[in-house]
Amino acid sequence: MVTFAYMLIIGMLSVLTISLDMFVYHKGFMYCLKNIYSAEVGAGAITIVITAIFGFLWSVIVDIRLRKSKKQSKQTGN
């Protein structure tokens, strides 16, 4: 569930960013999508992508730990 919420938030923020870029630059959807990832290294694009990947991995780990603890609580409760 944490992973789903993470993907939902990242997706909504991406759509918002692309929509704002489309409004400001008066370009198409694909141009604005490519513009996000073709940013210069100095602009911190690499840092943002690595942080997003780290956040996704962390949410997967949290989901796995929650599933394990729920399974253990069901086994000890019965």
Side-chain angles (χ1 to χ4, degrees), residues 61-76:
I61 290 170
V62 168
D63 272 342
I64 290 170
R65 292 177 69 190
L66 286 173
R67 182 172 288 159
K68 282 184 180 180
S69 67
K70 184 185 274 187
K71 190 182 289 188
Q72 287 177 353
S73 69
K74 282 184 179 180
Q75 289 176 355
T76 58

Side-chain angles (χ1 to χ4, degrees), residues 7-77:
M7 289 174 22
L8 188 66
I9 290 171
I10 290 294
M12 290 185 338
L13 287 174
S14 297
V15 168
L16 178 65
T17 302
I18 291 170
S19 299
L20 289 173
D21 281 352
M22 288 172 62
F23 179 73
V24 170
Y25 296 120
H26 303 290
K27 301 285 183 176
F29 178 81
M30 288 307 292
Y31 175 81
C32 293
L33 181 66
K34 290 177 186 176
N35 192 28
I36 291 175
Y37 294 108
S38 67
E40 295 178 15
V41 175
I46 303 262
T47 306
I48 292 170
V49 170
I50 289 173
T51 305
I53 291 170
F54 178 73
F56 178 74
L57 293 175
W58 187 256
S59 67
V60 170
I61 290 170
V62 168
D63 272 342
I64 290 170
R65 292 177 69 190
L66 286 173
R67 182 172 288 159
K68 282 184 180 180
S69 67
K70 184 185 274 187
K71 190 182 289 188
Q72 287 177 353
S73 69
K74 282 184 179 180
Q75 289 176 355
T76 58

